[in-house]
Amino acid sequence: MTSPALLIEVEGDATITQDDNQSRSAPWYNVPAQAMVSVEHPFIVKNITKGIESMGGIIKIHQLVQEDRSKATASLYLRPEDRMSKPIFSTNVKTNNVLLQLTVPKRTGRKRKRGSIEPYQDEAQDHLSESTPTTGPKNARYLFGSLRDNPERYSITPVGSIEQTHRFRSMSDFVFSTTNNSFMKKMRDHILPFEYDKMKGFKFDLSKGVKENTELIPPPSFTHFSIPFNYSYRQNPSVKQSIDSSGKVTTINTQISPKLLTQLLQYDAEQIPNGPREDIVPLSSLDPKIQLLVKNIAELLDERPIWTRRGLSNHLRSHEWSSVGRLVYQYVGYMFRSGPWRDAVVKFGVDPRSDPKYRIYQTMTFQLFANDENGKPKKIEEGKKERGRTRQLKQYDNGSHIFDGIHVGLDGKTWQVCDITDPLLKPLLTTTNIRDECHIQVDGWYQNGTWSKARAIVRHKMLEIISGRGPPPDSDYARILAMPDILDRSTKHLTMFKRGKATAQEREMATIIRTMASGAARRGGEGYGMQGVEDEGDDDAEDVDDRVRQAVLELDAADQLGDEEDEEPFASSADEMQEEGSGDDIENDSEDDGDDD
């Protein structure tokens, strides 16, 4: 005997009570003990046969109502005809629902106005609504209409309780079509039916060698993600609506960086700019503070036509420089992306490759590495941020762009010849033994030996100072300074130091200088015939160890950048610089002028 499991209120305001002796307006129904399983099919099933096939057939459905129903899982095939498609598996949810059978009078097709007592009239066939079918399964609209029209003539019969419900909430996997795959066709015909006679007809191609049009078997699964990812899309709070000049509503980003149109040239550019770009924002429309900065920089460029950005920052000492410094370059000058004047701000109309007097403005760029406690190279941190870029490692304020042989400012990587005041290097860099034609890629107006010696000595002294050992005595560089200003095959023997007659440091620096000089010759210019000098029986070739190679790579970083740029298009706007990775690289890879970017 079964007891009532659920009481259903049909209509009206009747209340429900479990006391059979009390009057009640809603009847009680006994729910049969037969338990049922519900499957919430995600599609509208119009063909019952195809609906069963999408569930894997009647056998798969029978498995859902076996004894261990709580662990059963339903499978839904979106392509039942393709055995290679991966099904969607259901989530088995425990429920406490009741399946009801509603019986309503069959509609005859005759109609009358609702609430009237007039006789029913036949409706013309061509006016029958598509939503009230006369045969086949009835839709929900038809059934609810029948319940409303026959409030006293329908019946309710409980069929059973629904204790398990299968719901499909997973995403479907990708399907690789194997319709035209001959191997998979053989698999479908012989293996997938699971019939022994057909399996015996399956044969592998055992021929050897590479076969044309080799077929690839798709993987059993393309994705392992069954639950859609919640991307939490939301509107950027910086994007606001505004009205443009034509009166249309548009959106603007209030925090977008201003577009930078600084003109960046390659070392071999034929023409130099004589003024800002035409599409630049007019200077008169900018903030007065920016206009004042532009005016001050223009005055400095009148006094000295080429500056490093760090030098300009140290001379101006403006509080606004940290936020708008990068915006003013485009109004006063241009820059070279590589070469002897790399990353320096050059006054419009000035071409330093045209006159030897501009050699004092050539730049040296260093990637400084010191040795750690294990003797391995360790990159020097340049005052990077706790919050933005700082100058916490700078020993002296306004002179960080100057190298005097005693102090090293670590807020940048680039120094100019005119800013090197070390008494040891002054005679070397003010020499009159210069080139007749500018070497636009590496050496500029200096001879290859002069420029290589200067860069090697500056780097060595900086590393000694940074490492805490202090500036070395000038006598340590006497042999290096005595090396020829022009390094070629005829002067090669003057750069070779024998063991026992020179220190390890002198032999190492000599090897670095020869390697740099030969590298400059290989990349063009006048060419001093230094190609391959290291391979022709150097007495100390065994001293070219990892430290020497590391030093050469560091000193040659600026030159290598110039070689790489020939392989990619040149960017002249902020958008293009960001796409090519050059807009910010100018700040980070070469010289950090202390801006709080």
Side-chain angles (χ1 to χ4, degrees):
M1 167 132 357
T2 61
S3 58
L6 183 66
L7 179 64
I8 301 178
E9 181 180 350
V10 180
E11 66 177 5
D13 298 329
T15 58
I16 301 174
T17 178
Q18 294 185 358
D19 189 356
D20 292 338
N21 297 324
Q22 298 179 0
S23 63
R24 53 185 181 273
S25 59
W28 285 82
Y29 295 94
N30 291 332
V31 180
Q34 181 178 0
M36 296 184 148
V37 176
S38 172
V39 177
E40 297 181 0
H41 204 292
F43 300 147
I44 298 176
V45 180
K46 295 184 178 181
N47 188 312
I48 301 299
T49 302
K50 291 185 177 181
I52 295 176
E53 291 178 355
S54 68
M55 298 292 298
I58 194 65
I59 298 178
K60 292 286 186 179
I61 294 178
H62 285 166
Q63 294 176 357
L64 300 179
V65 294
Q66 299 300 323
E67 294 183 0
D68 194 5
R69 293 187 297 269
S70 61
K71 297 182 180 180
T73 302
S75 301
L76 176 64
Y77 295 86
L78 302 183
R79 295 170 57 89
E81 70 282 356
D82 187 358
R83 300 294 296 273
M84 301 302 298
S85 63
K86 182 181 177 182
I88 302 176
F89 297 102
S90 67
T91 301
N92 193 341
V93 181
K94 186 176 181 180
T95 56
N96 187 22
N97 300 329
V98 176
L99 178 64
L100 300 179
Q101 178 182 351
L102 299 177
T103 303
V104 295
K106 183 178 180 180
R107 303 185 69 174
T108 62
R110 296 183 300 167
K111 292 185 177 183
R112 70 178 179 184
K113 188 174 181 181
R114 182 174 286 107
S116 67
I117 58 175
E118 298 177 358
Y120 287 97
Q121 298 180 356
D122 294 333
E123 185 178 11
Q125 186 68 25
D126 55 349
H127 293 292
L128 289 178
S129 174
E130 295 181 358
S131 61
T132 56
T134 57
T135 60
K138 308 300 187 294
N139 56 31
R141 183 177 180 180
Y142 173 84
L143 296 177
F144 277 110
S146 297
L147 289 173
R148 182 185 55 201
D149 295 339
N150 302 276
E152 304 293 340
R153 301 177 59 189
Y154 66 85
S155 62
I156 299 177
T157 304
V159 179
S161 62
I162 302 176
E163 299 177 355
Q164 302 292 332
T165 300
H166 293 268
R167 296 168 179 167
F168 297 94
R169 298 294 186 266
S170 302
M171 295 190 302
S172 60
D173 195 5
F174 300 97
V175 178
F176 185 89
S177 177
T178 57
T179 304
N180 299 323
N181 192 313
S182 59
F183 178 80
M184 297 308 300
K185 184 178 180 180
K186 288 167 46 176
M187 286 282 294
R188 288 192 294 268
D189 295 342
H190 297 85
I191 304 299
L192 297 182
F194 296 103
E195 297 179 9
Y196 179 70
D197 293 336
K198 292 184 178 181
M199 287 184 179
K200 291 193 298 182
F202 182 80
K203 302 294 182 182
F204 282 103
D205 185 4
L206 302 179
S207 60
K208 299 179 180 180
V210 180
K211 304 175 182 62
E212 295 183 359
N213 300 325
T214 302
E215 298 172 340
L216 299 177
I217 301 176
S221 176
F222 285 93
T223 178
H224 300 286
F225 297 98
S226 59
I227 300 177
F229 183 77
N230 183 11
Y231 288 93
S232 300
Y233 289 113
R234 62 184 180 88
Q235 178 63 52
N236 185 350
S238 302
V239 176
K240 308 295 182 181
Q241 286 189 343
S242 64
I243 300 177
D244 58 14
S245 57
S246 61
K248 295 182 179 180
V249 178
T250 182
T251 57
I252 59 172
N253 192 335
T254 58
Q255 293 185 353
I256 192 172
S257 301
K259 192 172 184 179
L260 298 179
L261 298 177
T262 305
Q263 301 180 67
L264 308 175
L265 306 184
Q266 297 186 20
Y267 64 88
D268 57 351
E270 296 181 359
Q271 300 292 333
I272 62 169
N274 294 315
R277 290 176 44 157
E278 296 180 356
D279 53 346
I280 198 172
V281 178
L283 182 60
S284 58
S285 64
L286 299 181
D287 187 273
K289 296 179 180 180
I290 299 180
Q291 298 183 35
L292 180 60
L293 282 177
V294 172
K295 178 183 177 182
N296 294 337
I297 293 180
E299 293 176 354
L300 290 176
L301 288 173
D302 290 337
E303 301 174 4
R304 169 173 154 182
I306 304 175
W307 285 82
T308 59
R309 290 168 289 168
R310 182 169 47 158
L312 291 173
S313 174
N314 289 340
H315 274 74
L316 294 175
R317 308 303 304 156
S318 172
H319 296 290
E320 289 77 19
W321 182 267
S322 60
S323 58
V324 301
R326 297 179 62 189
L327 301 177
V328 301
Y329 303 137
Q330 55 191 335
Y331 294 96
V332 295
Y334 67 96
M335 297 182 185
F336 285 100
R337 295 178 64 182
S338 60
W341 293 272
R342 173 191 172 187
D343 288 346
V345 180
V346 185
K347 182 181 178 181
F348 284 128
V350 174
D351 187 355
R353 303 166 300 179
S354 62
D355 196 313
K357 68 180 181 181
Y358 296 116
R359 67 184 183 277
I360 63 173
Y361 304 120
Q362 290 183 207
T363 60
M364 299 181 183
T365 301
F366 302 99
Q367 292 280 358
L368 297 178
F369 289 82
N371 292 334
D372 58 14
E373 59 275 7
N374 299 322
K376 297 182 179 180
K378 178 182 178 182
K379 188 174 182 180
I380 300 297
E381 294 295 334
E382 312 146 37
K384 291 297 179 183
K385 46 192 173 184
E386 273 182 19
R387 295 186 59 186
R389 296 179 184 172
T390 65
R391 298 191 176 194
Q392 59 186 4
L393 293 182
K394 199 167 58 172
Q395 285 86 359
Y396 56 112
D397 208 10
N398 293 347
S400 65
H401 64 289
I402 297 175
F403 177 64
D404 57 3
I406 301 176
H407 306 94
V408 179
L410 294 179
D411 59 340
K413 306 175 184 178
T414 303
W415 283 262
Q416 284 183 283
V417 170
C418 60
D419 293 330
I420 298 177
T421 61
D422 186 356
L424 176 68
L425 295 169
K426 268 293 184 181
L428 178 64
L429 296 173
T430 56
T431 179
T432 57
N433 184 12
I434 60 176
R435 293 173 180 260
D436 296 329
E437 183 179 349
C438 181
H439 185 269
I440 62 175
Q441 191 168 0
V442 179
D443 298 328
W445 290 102
Y446 288 99
Q447 304 289 357
N448 65 337
T450 304
W451 193 241
S452 299
K453 289 188 295 181
R455 295 175 66 190
I457 293 175
V458 171
R459 174 187 175 274
H460 186 268
K461 294 192 74 171
M462 286 183 175
L463 288 179
E464 291 294 306
I465 296 171
I466 293 172
S467 300
R469 292 184 287 270
D474 293 350
S475 58
D476 288 359
Y477 305 104
R479 286 180 177 269
I480 301 301
L481 292 171
M483 293 174 62
D485 291 339
I486 300 177
L487 298 183
D488 56 16
R489 294 184 182 278
S490 63
T491 59
K492 169 189 168 183
H493 65 284
L494 299 176
T495 66
M496 313 297 293
F497 299 151
K498 299 291 185 180
R499 289 181 179 273
K501 296 183 179 181
T503 63
Q505 172 187 310
E506 291 173 338
R507 296 199 307 273
E508 179 179 319
M509 292 186 65
T511 304
I512 293 173
I513 292 171
R514 290 197 305 274
T515 305
M516 286 195 298
S518 62
R522 282 194 297 272
R523 284 189 295 273
E526 296 177 8
Y528 293 102
M530 287 287 290
Q531 295 89 333
V533 295
E534 297 296 341
D535 301 328
E536 297 188 0
D538 288 353
D539 294 337
D540 60 348
E542 64 273 12
D543 293 332
V544 187
D545 56 6
D546 292 340
R547 291 181 302 164
V548 174
R549 295 188 183 92
Q550 180 65 35
V552 172
L553 289 175
E554 294 169 15
L555 287 167
D556 209 33
D559 307 334
Q560 292 295 333
L561 177 62
D563 296 339
E564 294 173 359
E565 288 173 348
D566 292 339
E567 302 175 2
E568 59 180 0
F570 171 70
S572 58
S573 68
D575 295 340
E576 295 169 345
M577 287 189 291
Q578 291 175 0
E579 293 175 1
E580 297 180 8
S582 59
D584 291 334
D585 289 347
I586 289 183
E587 287 294 326
N588 299 331
D589 289 348
S590 56
E591 174 180 340
D592 187 348
D593 56 5
D595 294 349
D596 286 330
D597 293 337

